[in-house]
């Protein structure tokens, strides 16, 4: 089966292919839209509807995700990609996060991922996955992307960027949301 995914982020496409190896994942950038919803689910729906209009009768998917830090009132949240401004700069985002957390004792955080799916018959579904952890005081690891070098998942002493891709996918917000997508797709095509 083909699965059109509304992203231009090569890291995300690779993670999605790893988690859903049975799908032929095709990236389709939903250009010219505004991701202005107040939550991840709303933004994922905006993105998936934009590409579903171009691929009627096909499986289409979009994810919207970000980091929510307790001591920062849930920031960067839906602004995770552009926390330090446009264009997205992972190093600047991580530097700003560390600056804003300086002196805070509560370093708990979670990643959230909402995946919106449009089935070939037009049905819409949203699945949400979360992973909880803490924010390190300095960057560590070379893998992953975004805030991965700063995020240590609960029960681990390594950052997401230090874990092998398979280990991250098994517990990540995106992995958990996509696990539900996988079940839904299988039920739909069985
Ligand atoms: P989106 O592309 O609008 O979903 O923005 C997601 C942003 O949240 C990314 O640019 C990253 O900064 C951050 N993010 C989401 N998922 C992850 C992850 O798995 N690791 C690290 N950062 C992530």
């Amino acid at each position: 089966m083909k699965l059109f995914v509304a992203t231009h982020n090569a890291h995300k496409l690779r993670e999605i292919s790893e988690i859903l190896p049975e799908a032929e994942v095709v990236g389709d950038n939903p250009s010219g839209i505004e991701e202005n919803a107040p939550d991840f689910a709303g933004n994922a729906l905006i993105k998936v509807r934009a590409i579903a209009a171009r691929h009627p009768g096909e499986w289409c998917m979009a994810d919207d995700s970000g980091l929510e830090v307790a001591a920062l009132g849930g920031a960067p949240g839906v602004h995770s990609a552009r926390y330090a401004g446009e264009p997205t700069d992972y190093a600047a985002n991580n530097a700003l996060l560390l600056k804003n957390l300086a002196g805070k004792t509560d370093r708990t955080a979670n990643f959230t991922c909402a995946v919106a799916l449009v089935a070939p018959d037009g049905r819409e579904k949203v699945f949400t996955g979360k992973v909880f952890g803490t924010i390190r005081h300095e960057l560590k690891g070379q893998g992953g992307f975004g805030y991965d070098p700063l995020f240590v998942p609960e029960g681990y002493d390594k950052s997401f960027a230090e874990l092998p891709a398979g280990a991250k996918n098994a517990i990540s917000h995106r992995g958990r949301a996509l696990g539900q997508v996988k079940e839904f797709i299988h039920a739909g095509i069985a």
Side-chain angles (χ1 to χ4, degrees), residues 66-153:
L67 180 71
E68 298 175 307
V69 180
L72 303 178
V78 291
H79 305 295
S80 292
R82 289 163 289 277
Y83 191 35
E86 299 267 10
T88 295
D89 179 337
Y90 294 148
N93 288 343
N94 283 324
L96 181 61
L97 179 61
L98 287 178
K99 181 169 161 242
N100 290 344
L101 275 178
K104 309 254 192 226
T105 45
D106 178 4
R107 315 235 356 150
T108 56
N110 71 269
F111 277 118
T112 296
C113 175
V115 176
L117 196 66
V118 176
D121 63 5
R123 266 178 307 163
E124 290 181 348
K125 292 282 284 183
V126 180
F127 303 93
T128 302
K130 283 181 188 283
V131 58
F132 291 85
T134 51
I135 303 298
R136 288 177 51 88
H137 287 84
E138 62 288 309
L139 301 147
K140 196 132 188 244
Q142 302 299 322
F145 69 101
Y147 300 96
D148 280 347
L150 287 179
F151 184 82
V152 179

Side-chain angles (χ1 to χ4, degrees), residues 9 12 15 35 47 63-67 80-82 88 90 93 111 145-148 160 168 172-174:
N9 182 330
K12 277 194 190 176
E15 285 190 2
E35 293 177 40
K47 288 188 265 190
D63 91 319
D64 197 64
S65 50
L67 180 71
S80 292
R82 289 163 289 277
T88 295
Y90 294 148
N93 288 343
F111 277 118
F145 69 101
Y147 300 96
D148 280 347
F160 260 172
K168 176 187 171 185
S172 79
H173 49 314
R174 192 166 301 101

